[in-house]
Amino acid sequence: MKKALVCGAGGFIGSHLVTYLKNKGYWVRGVDLKYPEFSKTKADEFLILDLRGRKNCRKALSVNGGFDEVYQLAADMGGMGFIHSAECDIMHNSALININMAYIAIKEFKVPRLFFSSSVCIYRDMKKGEKEITEEAAIPANPDNEYGWEKLYAERTYQAFARKYGTKVRIARFQNCYGPEGTWKGGREKAPAALSRKIAEVQGDSGEIDVWGDGKARRVFVYINDLVEGIYLVMHSDVESAVNIGPTEDTSINDFASLIAKIAKKKIKIKHIDGPVGVESRNFSNKKITSLGWKPKYSLEEGMKETYLWVEQQVKRRGKSI
Ligand code: NAD
């Protein structure tokens, strides 16, 4: 039985990855600062550890016979509101996790394979309709925020350790991921969950919601099940450089909100207010991931149906978020 360590297993993507690996027959240890809030699938073992500390990284990695695979998803993370207000926390906490995990997992424990979750936030801002860029065109770099810079630094840290100590490091840059069982309130939620919550909180079948900015920014979204399949494919591929995971079709935030309103069967008026918007547009190649056989199974509408219904259930169960 293969053994996998999932760092950040208490979070949105990490908890779904645990389920995926368990279904594939792995023995899985999850590590995080907290237990998963929603997931029903349990890791075989779950350790509460702060991975900013070297001793805790060693505890996470210590297992009889060693881990076959390590998935590093732990990060101080949130949506645009969080990324803009917590840049020191991101630069400090996520960098410490990654510097220590690279050193301990690769140099000391010599794990055979390590996956690192990067982000398309490492790319520069793009104009709408601009020609797509490849993974390699990320350099010269000009990410829009510190979250992107930390990810870029971490990518290079893992790659440097891989070159020197021989671990097979695999890196994926995720598009905006959405789906059930993610953060939906509290300030760290991302646009799909935040918009779903606002629409679910509208009483009756019509109302108004706030949207940050003019709603014309364009984004690509990837459904959680498709993303997790992509992670597994990248981890088991021979591709040593970073790989984007996500479809190529983008949507404006205004159209995205209208899609959710349609799913909710509500008539929603959008009120544009000041707020952190992030980049104008992004257009990345997904040729590398599709060449590995990856194809999204969920359309945005199908994925958002699952997501909205789940968020609506949370709103009904737990009451208003504010
Ligand atoms: P998440 O916040 O739900 O999960 C991250 C987890 O890391 C959290 O459970 C958190 O408690 C844990 N963590 C933070 N600091 C820690 C520490 N010091 N020690 C141990 N655990 C710690 O976020 P997510 O959406 O599941 O993202 C997972 C990974 O994917 C992150 O690295 C994130 O940057 C990356 N990513 C996510 C998206 C997305 O759209 N969600 C997009 C691009 C990249």
Side-chain angles (χ1 to χ4, degrees):
M1 198 183 228
K2 276 197 177 178
K3 292 195 197 90
L5 172 67
V6 178
C7 304
F12 171 44
I13 302 171
S15 59
H16 282 270
L17 182 62
V18 168
T19 304
Y20 186 84
L21 292 171
K22 288 289 302 161
N23 289 339
K24 286 229 172 266
Y26 281 70
W27 184 90
V28 183
R29 173 185 288 168
V31 173
D32 202 300
L33 293 171
K34 60 177 175 71
Y35 292 106
E37 213 177 324
F38 310 108
S39 172
K40 286 176 199 82
T41 314
K42 290 208 173 357
D44 295 279
E45 208 173 83
F46 200 102
L47 305 183
I48 297 291
L49 291 171
D50 183 340
L51 293 170
R52 288 172 302 179
R54 280 194 177 198
K55 275 191 193 154
N56 285 342
C57 291
R58 288 192 188 102
K59 273 190 203 159
L61 283 151
S62 296
V63 75
N64 236 343
F67 283 103
D68 301 286
E69 298 174 11
V70 172
Y71 295 81
Q72 195 331 64
L73 285 87
D76 208 353
M77 162 67 184
M80 218 13 96
F82 177 78
I83 283 176
H84 276 259
S85 62
E87 48 186 28
C88 298
D89 296 329
I90 292 168
M91 289 306 248
H92 178 262
N93 298 336
S94 296
L96 276 180
I97 297 171
N98 288 316
I99 288 169
N100 286 329
M101 278 308 286
Y103 190 92
I104 310 290
I106 300 177
K107 185 177 175 189
E108 291 189 4
F109 281 72
K110 301 201 166 32
V111 297
R113 268 180 198 268
L114 183 143
F115 174 89
F116 172 59
S117 54
S118 186
S119 162
V120 294
C121 282
I122 64 104
Y123 294 102
R124 62 179 169 82
D125 194 355
M126 294 177 78
K127 295 275 162 251
K128 288 171 193 127
E130 202 179 318
K131 194 171 158 275
E132 67 173 23
I133 57 171
T134 62
E135 283 86 345
E136 286 65 37
I139 308 288
N142 190 18
D144 167 67
N145 52 54
E146 304 315 321
Y147 171 74
W149 281 108
E150 191 282 325
K151 288 287 188 199
L152 206 50
Y153 173 75
E155 282 189 12
R156 295 185 79 93
T157 304
Y158 286 111
Q159 281 167 334
F161 275 78
R163 278 194 298 275
K164 193 161 169 81
Y165 300 105
T167 291
K168 288 183 170 38
V169 161
R170 299 293 177 258
I171 297 170
R173 296 174 182 158
F174 305 164
Q175 296 276 14
N176 299 289
C177 179
Y178 70 99
E181 301 181 355
T183 305
W184 61 279
K185 62 171 186 165
R188 287 188 187 236
E189 64 279 20
K190 306 189 93 189
L195 291 172
S196 296
R197 187 199 68 226
K198 288 178 187 183
I199 291 175
E201 284 176 348
V202 165
Q203 302 293 317
D205 56 11
S206 66
E208 187 178 78
I209 61 160
D210 291 343
V211 166
W212 289 341
D214 62 9
K216 290 182 186 156
R218 301 192 73 81
R219 293 288 179 272
V220 177
F221 296 100
V222 58
Y223 189 63
I224 182 70
N225 296 21
D226 289 328
L227 178 73
V228 168
E229 280 209 29
I231 293 174
Y232 193 77
L233 269 178
V234 171
M235 178 61 139
H236 295 93
S237 76
D238 293 330
V239 185
E240 289 175 355
S241 54
V243 181
N244 298 330
I245 305 182
T248 45
E249 298 75 30
D250 65 352
T251 180
S252 73
I253 295 298
N254 284 335
D255 288 348
F256 187 51
S258 303
L259 173 69
I260 305 173
K262 184 181 128 191
I263 291 167
K265 299 191 177 75
K266 293 185 184 183
K267 233 174 139 47
I268 299 294
K269 207 169 149 242
I270 296 173
K271 184 176 162 205
H272 296 112
I273 60 164
D274 279 347
V277 173
V279 294
E280 179 182 332
S281 177
R282 287 205 167 123
N283 183 18
F284 318 113
S285 162
N286 71 355
K287 288 195 182 74
K288 266 196 199 175
I289 186 72
T290 51
S291 76
L292 296 176
W294 184 83
K295 201 170 169 240
K297 294 194 177 84
Y298 288 78
S299 68
L300 188 58
E301 182 157 358
E302 286 163 343
M304 276 315 297
K305 229 177 233 170
E306 304 279 327
T307 310
Y308 177 78
L309 292 176
W310 182 82
V311 172
E312 188 188 52
Q313 218 176 39
Q314 307 310 308
V315 169
K316 280 185 186 153
R317 253 189 224 151
R318 291 157 206 237
K320 269 186 89 82
S321 57
I322 303 145

